[in-house]
Amino acid sequence: MSYKILIRNGIIFEPDFKFKIGNLAVENGFITQNLNDPDEIIDAENLYIIPGLCDIHFHGCAGHDFCEGNEGAFNAILNYEKSNGILTICPATMTLPENELIKVVSSAKKFHEKNSDLAGINLEGPFISRNKKGAQNEKFILNPDIKIFKNIFNASGNLIKFVDIAPELNGAFEFINYAKEFVTVSLAHTEANYKISNEAFKAGAKHVTHLYNAMPPINHREPGLIIAASENENKNITVELICDGVHVHPAMIRNTFKMFNDDQIIFISDSLEAAGMPDGKYKLGGQEIIKSGRVATLSDKKTIAGSVSNLFECFKYSVKVAKIPLETAVKCSTFNPVKSVGLEKSRGTLEAGKLAKILFLNKNLELMKIIDEKIYKF
C-alpha cells in the first residue's frame, strides 16, 4: 500500500548544493515530485533537510570492527551508523593476511546482497609503506601484488571500491595499471615524494587516503604527495579529510579548501570500534588500542590509531569549529562520498526518484529526525 509523507517548510539542501525553503515528498521509500494527498505531514519549519551522510573510510564503531567479518558485527555497525545519520557506508579493512581479508570481504558480499546500504569496501592494507604504517600491523604488510588483489577482489563480488597503495614500493605502477580498471586506486601510508606521486596520478591513481596523515608533510623544498595532488591539472583527484578535531588542525581543514575545490574533498571519520564506546582498551587489526576521551592510540600511547568520532560528529566539527560553510560541509559528507562509490544516481541528493535518505537538523546542527527507505525515526 502506498504511503506518502510531505515534509513542509523545511530548509532544503537542493541538488545545486544550496539551501532553499520549500517542501519535499516521500512515497514508498523514494523522493517524489507528487506533493498532493499525503498520508502524513511533517512540519519542518526552521529545520535543515539534508541527504543522509556516507562514510567511505571507517573501521568500526559500537564495540565492533568491520574485520570481524560476520553478520552480527555488520548489523551492529550499520545500526550505529544509521542512528547517527550515516545512511550509506563503505567500511575499511586493516592490514591482515590474505586469507583473513578474503573471509571478511566474502562475508560482506553476502551481507550486501541483503542490505545495499553497505555500499562497498575500502581495502586500506596491505600494500603500504612500513615506515608510514601508522596503526597498521607491520607483520602483514606486502609489496603491491596483483594476484593477491585479484583474489580478494573476486571474493568480494566486485564490492571493493578503493584499494590503497604506497606508489614508491616495488611493483606499484604495474599494480596501478591493473587495479585502476576495477577500483579507485588511492595513495596512502606512503613516503612518496612529489615526482613519484605525480607519476602515480598519471598512471591512474585518483584518490588520497586521510590527507596529511601517514604521509610526508608539506615542505617548501620537498612538496610531496599533498602538493602533487593539489596541483593535478585535471582536478579529478579526490582526497579524504578527517575532521574529528584530532587528526587535522582546524586551520589545515580550512586551507585544504584553498588547495582543493569542494568537488574533490570527502569527509571521513576513520573511526574504530571504540567510537560510541566508553574509554578503555579495544582492538584494531589485532593490535590493542586505548581510547581516552576524543583520542585513540596504540598501546605506546603515541601513535594515533584512527578516530573515535563518527562522520556526523566530524561534519558538525567542520562547521562549528573549523568554520567550513554549511553547504560545503554537507556536500563533502553526502554527495561527494556517494559519488566516489558510484551511487550518485540513487542517493546523495534530494531529487525525485532517489532513495529517501533524509536527515532533519536544527539550527545547532543536532540530529532531530531520520527518514530512511526502511527506517523512520522521529
Side-chain angles (χ1 to χ4, degrees), residues 129-146:
S129 165
R130 294 176 184 275
N131 292 331
K132 290 291 182 179
K133 64 182 183 297
Q136 302 283 339
N137 195 326
E138 185 173 358
K139 288 193 298 184
F140 307 121
I141 290 175
L142 300 172
N143 281 335
D145 189 305
I146 291 172

Side-chain angles (χ1 to χ4, degrees), residues 17 54 56 238 257 261-267 328 330-341 348:
F17 310 117
C54 171
I56 64 164
T238 48
F257 285 89
N261 63 48
D262 66 8
D263 293 323
Q264 297 177 275
I265 298 170
I266 297 172
F267 289 170
T328 301
V330 173
K331 182 179 180 182
C332 294
S333 305
T334 60
F335 180 75
N336 289 357
V338 161
K339 183 179 180 182
S340 75
V341 292

Side-chain angles (χ1 to χ4, degrees), residues 152 221 228 250 278:
I152 299 170
R221 292 192 179 92

